[in-house]
Amino acid sequence: MRSIMKTGLAALASLAMIPAAVTAHEVRGTHTGTVTATTTYPSGGTHRAVDIGAGGRCNYWGAETGVVGSVSWNVTIRKTGVYCNGTGSGTQNEAKHLWTNGYTFRQWHWIKTSDSYDRTCDRCQVGNIGATGNATGPHAHLQYDKLGTNDTSWYSGYTVYGEAVDRSETLGYLD
């Protein structure tokens, strides 16, 4: 009986050494720039995502996925040229990850390069900074959505309009 108790207690103690499951994923800046939109556009209107401007620099290396940790990315190419300003809604290149909770994290507005392909990675390069889509000027658009509704809680309290960011800056957390 004593050896069963010792074995049981040893098993319970070993469980305490196992790290807890990851419940949130950190999102960091995708490139050096300035937050140009969050919940609303500076001119008004609803936005409900984080945009990071590139200071007018177009087609430079920097469209890196923002989610920290190894996740799978599905890349959709809708434009193959170099675009530095908007070319119409729905034309943006996209890297997205579908989470088990039904939410999708999307990154838009980048230029296709040899790095633009589906893969599992930790903050990998998916293209160059651009502005394909209904956009003004080169920037990254980071969006977390489910069933057509964008969630803003992931960045609320972490990043704000006008903030200077770089790749080490925490923009928020995805549940």
Side-chain angles (χ1 to χ4, degrees):
M1 184 73 164
R2 287 180 111 173
S3 82
I4 292 173
M5 285 282 277
K6 283 183 180 179
T7 305
L9 289 173
L12 284 174
S14 69
L15 286 176
M17 309 276 291
I18 297 173
V22 175
T23 58
H25 286 271
E26 181 182 7
V27 178
R28 291 187 186 159
T30 59
H31 63 281
T32 299
T34 302
V35 176
T36 57
T38 54
T39 304
T40 57
Y41 290 106
S43 59
T46 303
H47 184 248
R48 303 179 66 82
V50 173
D51 283 357
I52 304 170
R57 295 169 295 173
C58 183
N59 200 24
Y60 85 97
W61 186 87
E64 179 180 278
T65 56
V67 177
V68 176
S70 187
V71 297
S72 60
W73 293 98
N74 177 267
V75 171
T76 302
I77 303 299
R78 296 183 180 108
K79 287 287 190 181
T80 58
V82 174
Y83 295 92
C84 297
N85 286 300
T87 59
S89 184
T91 63
Q92 65 271 4
N93 294 328
E94 175 182 69
K96 69 180 177 183
H97 176 78
L98 178 61
W99 300 94
T100 56
N101 65 3
Y103 278 84
T104 302
F105 186 80
R106 303 171 195 277
Q107 183 171 327
W108 291 342
H109 306 311
W110 42 270
I111 296 166
K112 181 187 181 299
T113 68
S114 61
D115 293 313
S116 306
Y117 59 92
D118 296 353
R119 65 180 176 274
T120 298
C121 59
D122 181 356
R123 302 198 67 206
C124 56
Q125 180 82 8
V126 291
N128 289 344
I129 296 297
T132 56
N134 192 17
T136 304
H139 72 283
H141 173 95
L142 308 174
Q143 172 180 315
Y144 190 51
D145 63 78
K146 183 176 183 178
L147 302 173
T149 301
N150 290 8
D151 179 6
T152 62
S153 67
W154 72 271
Y155 62 83
S156 180
Y158 291 97
T159 194
V160 295
Y161 172 79
E163 179 181 9
V165 298
D166 61 24
R167 285 182 174 85
S168 66
E169 178 79 21
T170 298
L171 300 177
Y173 289 88
L174 307 174
D175 292 328

